[in-house]
Amino acid sequence: MANEEDDPVIQEIDVYLAKSLAEKLYLFQYPVRPASMTYDDIPHLSAKIKPKQQKVELEMAIDTLNPNYCRSKGEQIALNVDGACADETSTYSSKLMDKQTFCSSQTTSNTARYATALYRQGELHLTPLHGILQLRPSFSYLDKADAKHREREAANEAGDSSQDEAEEDVKQITVRFSRPESEQARQRRVQSYEFLQKKHAEEPWVHLHYYGMRDSRSEHERQYLLCQGSSGVENTELVKSPSEYLMMLMPPSPEEEKDKPVAPSNVLSMAQLRTLPLADQIKVLMKNVKVMPFANLMSLLGPSVDSVAVLRGIQKVAMLVQGNWVVKSDILYPKDSSSPHSGMPAEVLCRGRDFVMWKFTQSRWVVRKEVAAVTKLCAEDVKDFLEHMAVVRINKGWEFLLPYDLEFIKKHPDVVQRQHMLWSGIQAKLEKVYNLVKETMPKKPDGQSAPVGLVSGEQRVQTAKTKAQQNHAFLERELQRRKEQMRAATVLPSVQIKEEPLSEEEADGAELEAEEEEPMDTAPSTCLSTKLANGLPAGRAVGGDSLNGHPVPGCASNPVACELKAFVEATFQRQFVLTLSELKRLFNLHLAGLPPGHILFSGVSDRMLQDTVLAAGCKQILVPFPPQTAASPDEQKVFALWESGDMSDQHRQVLLEIFSKNYRVRRNLIQSRLTQECGEELSKQEVDKVLKDCCVSCGGMWYLKGTVQS
């Protein structure tokens, strides 16, 4: 009550709903013009409309006497459009561009919530808008000029041909008969862009008459914006409750009403679900959720439901993938249905989606392009399949939506074995349809146990190579760490050396001298790790050493360094190559998402950020930028992750070595260098992966990320 007293009602205004122009009133939005000029000052030559499409064309005169008008340019445009001869079909009969055409486009498809308001004598009169159109200049005269030019060229070519032939050559005519059009082909043709454009072009234009704002006819029509019934008979709709009044002002759109579920099968209301049989409840839940662990399904069905009955029912509508249940394809795509994107029948869609599900029984990751290449389906259909059961990860592909449910696998081995046999049958059908080479059975995702299957010898060799490379990288880092600890132990603990901050050039020199003191093989070698002299070994971050007079980032006594190192490592795992400028931008975005008072707000200098990058196993790549480059100093400092522990480390190191000598490189040079260094011919997918991780393409050349200059 206190708030109401502080905000008293000053005036009450009666609101009337005028309906005389409700189905005829349009709002036109014209291009911006000087405030001193109204559209009554510009003669409207003609106007026409297509009511079904709500499309309007207006022709307005151009002031050719204005000193800003270029007469020579106007004459040239008229000559290009109409040619030298002017007739009744000419666009510019005065041989001068003296008019301009404006075409409309709809700003919104739902105008039910918009209205015009007219306030007069203490009353507010509202009229609903039937459409809102934006008028923009049309340049169709340029198309006409191009057509005239092509006609003149065709006429000149025809004139050069010989005129001595008495009769034309006899030409063979081939008669073809069209096949009967199927229902699916007809649906695709009706939904095509060309068909819709043809239908729009067939609608006739309705010519309109334009009346100025001060014209008597305009004054007469403006009176219809006022409510005509003074006794209030016309406005009985407004004498309603507030909720009904709001519903009248903003009625739900036809699309929203159409999307409302009409049956309990589309309603996830627990009260309605409990009224259905158990089999129907399971089907409704799986059809809407699509992927669900068995424990979640039991919690939704209630504690009183028998788990054995649920297991029996779930196997009728879903398949087991990585310990989770995924709804069957024929539930989502029933018989006699088709794709809304491509018109493909349900049988083809079910087969393609089964292939995606089967791929997820083999691995946690699936690449959309590979699925599209095998199934021969359009990208929209494949994307729908993947969105049902996976989530996209940048630079990796599509990962299965849920983690591996090891608990269900251990608890129900009989169900797992039965599902394994079903998948074996599906695999045999897919291999026959898609001509697939026999693949191995499901792998163990993330070190967890999975159903035992046959493993080929080639896969075992590949697994052994991967483990050997990972162990080799780990042993190298451990050896480097021990060397650093031994060097630190030789320094007397009672002696403290005061170090002054070094300049950037002196710091780089100090790093090079420190590396020269380490025992290393000085003989010529092709080892890539010795070619980038400005890099820092990954083991340098461990121990109590210092770096360029600063504490080593990642030291346990410095929580700021720990947080900074965690950010740097996570960033370079996602993006293998970053310039200092881009890294600082990402760090600022990271800071913006932290809560107030976080420890990183205490201050991080550019030098500390660079030292942390080098200590996190990254190296600075001395890219030879061209002398005329517009890149800033921060953009010329390029850092790359040297070792990530995957199979692409060697390929990426060869690529970074190439860019330490070249600013831009062609793909064939990268391909040949990778083949030479790795000792074997790399597939296109392997080369594409290393290029996608580190490079961008521009003008047929490849650049390191962040080094391309416009």
Side-chain angles (χ1 to χ4, degrees):
M1 295 297 295
N3 294 334
E4 294 180 0
E5 293 177 358
D6 294 339
D7 189 13
V9 176
I10 299 177
Q11 184 182 2
E12 292 186 359
I13 301 175
D14 293 332
V15 179
Y16 295 90
L17 181 62
K19 301 172 62 175
S20 301
L21 301 178
E23 301 296 329
K24 307 173 184 177
L25 190 60
Y26 287 84
L27 175 63
F28 289 178
Q29 297 177 345
Y30 287 83
V32 177
R33 289 182 178 272
S36 59
M37 180 184 298
T38 65
Y39 280 90
D40 281 345
D41 300 331
I42 306 173
H44 288 63
L45 302 178
S46 65
K48 53 185 179 180
I49 184 175
K50 289 186 175 182
K52 293 182 180 179
Q53 304 177 35
Q54 293 190 4
K55 184 177 181 181
V56 175
E57 276 194 9
L58 296 179
E59 283 189 0
M60 294 186 180
I62 298 177
D63 185 10
T64 58
L65 301 179
N66 193 293
N68 296 324
Y69 180 81
C70 181
R71 190 175 184 86
S72 61
K73 192 67 176 178
E75 293 176 351
Q76 183 64 40
I77 293 176
L79 180 63
N80 293 340
V81 174
D82 299 325
C85 300
D87 52 16
E88 63 275 2
T89 63
S90 299
T91 304
Y92 305 111
S93 57
S94 62
K95 296 185 178 182
L96 189 67
M97 184 180 177
D98 55 356
K99 59 184 178 181
Q100 187 175 12
T101 303
F102 292 86
C103 288
S104 67
S105 62
Q106 294 188 34
T107 58
T108 176
S109 59
N110 183 15
T111 59
R113 62 186 63 189
Y114 297 97
T116 62
L118 186 62
Y119 182 75
R120 178 172 295 184
Q121 298 178 359
E123 297 176 349
L124 185 63
H125 298 260
L126 301 179
T127 302
L129 285 175
H130 188 62
I132 302 177
L133 304 178
Q134 284 185 347
L135 295 172
R136 296 186 176 93
S138 173
F139 301 97
S140 57
Y141 59 86
L142 297 178
D143 298 334
K144 189 174 181 180
D146 293 341
K148 288 282 186 181
H149 179 69
R150 286 193 294 269
E151 290 177 1
R152 287 194 293 268
E153 287 185 348
N156 293 335
E157 292 177 359
D160 295 338
S161 61
S162 176
Q163 302 294 330
D164 299 334
E165 298 179 1
E167 58 184 14
E168 296 181 356
D169 295 337
V170 178
K171 296 183 180 180
Q172 183 179 359
I173 299 177
T174 302
V175 180
R176 296 181 180 179
F177 297 93
S178 61
R179 296 179 180 179
E181 187 179 26
S182 63
E183 180 63 21
Q184 297 176 0
R186 190 191 68 81
Q187 290 180 1
R188 288 197 296 268
R189 180 176 59 82
V190 170
Q191 296 175 0
S192 64
Y193 177 77
E194 291 80 8
F195 184 82
L196 295 178
Q197 287 294 101
K198 183 179 178 181
K199 293 293 290 182
H200 288 171
E202 290 176 353
E203 183 181 356
W205 287 101
V206 178
H207 290 274
L208 307 175
H209 296 282
Y210 177 82
Y211 297 94
M213 184 175 62
R214 301 179 184 86
D215 191 275
S216 60
R217 179 65 181 269
S218 297
E219 292 288 347
H220 175 74
E221 293 293 333
R222 196 176 297 118
Q223 297 299 320
Y224 289 110
L225 295 177
L226 300 175
C227 181
Q228 302 300 314
S230 58
S231 60
V233 177
E234 187 180 357
N235 298 281
T236 55
E237 298 93 333
L238 299 183
V239 187
K240 295 182 181 294
S241 64
S243 59
E244 293 175 338
Y245 175 61
L246 289 177
M247 183 62 67
M248 290 176 57
L249 287 181
M250 295 185 296
S253 62
E255 293 81 1
E256 295 175 353
E257 294 179 351
K258 185 178 180 181
D259 293 340
K260 289 182 179 180
V262 296
S265 60
N266 290 331
V267 179
L268 291 182
S269 169
M270 300 308 298
Q272 292 180 336
L273 275 176
R274 297 291 165 79
T275 62
L276 300 176
L278 179 60
D280 292 341
Q281 294 184 40
I282 297 174
K283 183 177 180 180
V284 169
L285 287 172
M286 292 306 304
K287 187 175 181 181
N288 285 273
V289 182
K290 297 180 178 61
V291 182
M292 189 185 304
F294 185 74
N296 290 14
L297 179 61
M298 290 297 300
S299 63
L300 290 173
L301 294 176
S304 60
V305 180
D306 184 16
S307 61
V308 177
V310 176
L311 273 176
R312 192 181 300 113
I314 189 65
Q315 295 182 67
K316 297 180 181 179
V317 297
M319 295 291 292
L320 192 66
V321 178
Q322 300 187 22
N324 301 280
W325 291 99
V326 182
V327 64
K328 288 184 177 180
S329 302
D330 54 1
I331 301 297
L332 296 180
Y333 302 104
K335 191 177 180 180
D336 298 332
S337 64
S338 60
S339 168
H341 306 293
S342 60
M344 286 292 179
E347 181 182 359
V348 179
L349 296 178
C350 291
R351 189 164 56 234
R353 188 174 180 273
D354 287 344
F355 176 75
V356 175
M357 294 169 62
W358 173 75
K359 289 289 289 183
F360 276 119
T361 64
Q362 307 289 303
S363 172
R364 288 284 301 174
W365 301 90
V366 168
V367 180
R368 187 176 70 172
K369 290 184 179 179
E370 295 179 1
V371 175
V374 173
T375 60
K376 302 298 188 295
L377 293 173
C378 69
E380 289 78 7
D381 288 336
V382 176
K383 186 178 180 182
D384 284 349
F385 300 159
L386 292 170
E387 287 178 344
H388 292 167
M389 64 192 80
V391 59
V392 66
R393 305 293 186 193
I394 299 176
N395 296 331
K396 290 186 178 181
W398 290 79
E399 184 183 12
F400 192 70
L401 191 62
L402 299 177
Y404 197 90
D405 193 348
L406 186 60
E407 181 180 356
F408 181 85
I409 297 294
K410 293 180 178 180
K411 190 175 180 180
H412 303 281
D414 54 337
V415 177
V416 174
Q417 183 63 25
R418 190 179 301 111
Q419 290 291 312
H420 176 66
M421 296 174 62
L422 291 176
W423 276 121
S424 299
I426 294 175
Q427 178 182 353
K429 293 181 181 179
L430 293 175
E431 289 174 351
K432 184 178 180 180
V433 173
Y434 295 131
N435 297 323
L436 299 177
V437 179
K438 287 195 175 183
E439 307 242 1
T440 59
M441 295 312 293
K443 305 174 184 177
K444 297 181 180 181
D446 302 331
Q448 297 172 342
S449 63
V452 179
L454 299 177
V455 181
S456 64
E458 182 180 359
Q459 184 185 0
R460 296 190 181 194
V461 173
Q462 190 68 21
T463 304
K465 286 183 178 180
T466 304
K467 291 183 178 180
Q469 289 185 357
Q470 293 176 352
N471 293 336
H472 178 69
F474 173 78
L475 291 176
E476 280 189 346
R477 289 195 292 269
E478 183 67 18
L479 177 61
Q480 189 65 33
R481 183 183 67 82
R482 292 184 178 181
K483 287 181 180 180
E484 294 292 334
Q485 289 180 347
M486 293 175 62
R487 188 186 303 110
T490 58
V491 182
L492 295 177
S494 60
V495 179
Q496 295 183 354
I497 302 175
K498 181 180 180 181
E499 296 181 356
E500 297 180 357
L502 302 178
S503 63
E504 190 170 345
E505 293 78 5
E506 293 172 344
D508 293 338
E511 291 177 15
L512 294 176
E513 292 176 3
E515 291 179 1
E516 291 174 358
E517 292 176 1
E518 298 178 4
M520 60 181 291
D521 186 9
T522 58
S525 174
T526 59
C527 180
L528 296 174
S529 61
T530 63
K531 293 184 178 181
L532 299 179
N534 64 330
L536 183 70
R540 185 74 63 87
V542 183
D545 202 355
S546 63
L547 177 67
N548 300 333
H550 298 277
V552 175
C555 183
S557 62
N558 191 347
V560 177
C562 294
E563 291 284 341
L564 185 60
K565 183 179 180 182
F567 160 76
V568 169
E569 290 177 347
T571 301
F572 276 92
Q573 285 295 332
R574 294 191 302 268
Q575 304 185 40
F576 294 94
V577 178
L578 286 172
T579 62
L580 180 59
S581 175
E582 178 65 11
L583 181 62
K584 289 163 64 175
R585 186 186 71 83
L586 295 176
F587 181 66
N588 290 332
L589 291 176
H590 178 66
L591 288 179
L594 296 178
H598 195 273
I599 192 171
L600 283 181
F601 287 107
S602 58
V604 175
S605 63
D606 291 355
R607 189 58 176 276
M608 186 176 180
L609 185 60
Q610 295 180 62
D611 292 345
T612 306
V613 171
L614 296 177
C618 301
K619 290 192 177 184
Q620 183 177 354
I621 312 302
L622 295 179
V623 180
F625 282 81
Q628 69 276 12
T629 181
S632 63
D634 286 350
E635 293 174 341
Q636 295 187 32
K637 291 184 179 180
V638 184
F639 299 93
L641 181 63
W642 192 248
E643 291 183 356
S644 62
D646 59 7
M647 295 290 294
S648 303
D649 281 349
Q650 183 184 6
H651 305 159
R652 188 166 56 253
Q653 292 169 9
V654 173
L655 183 67
L656 296 176
E657 158 67 12
I658 296 174
F659 279 101
S660 66
K661 299 178 181 179
N662 301 276
Y663 171 64
R664 56 182 182 179
V665 188
R666 292 191 179 275
R667 181 189 174 94
N668 56 359
L669 176 61
I670 297 174
Q671 180 94 30
S672 60
R673 184 66 180 276
L674 287 171
T675 303
Q676 177 183 355
E677 294 289 345
C678 299
E680 59 181 0
E681 186 72 23
L682 299 182
S683 63
K684 182 178 181 298
Q685 289 78 10
E686 292 175 324
V687 177
D688 290 342
K689 182 181 184 305
V690 70
L691 288 175
K692 186 177 180 180
D693 289 343
C694 304
C695 305
V696 293
S697 176
C698 182
M701 305 293 291
W702 288 89
Y703 302 79
L704 277 183
K705 289 183 178 180
T707 63
V708 182
Q709 301 297 320
S710 59

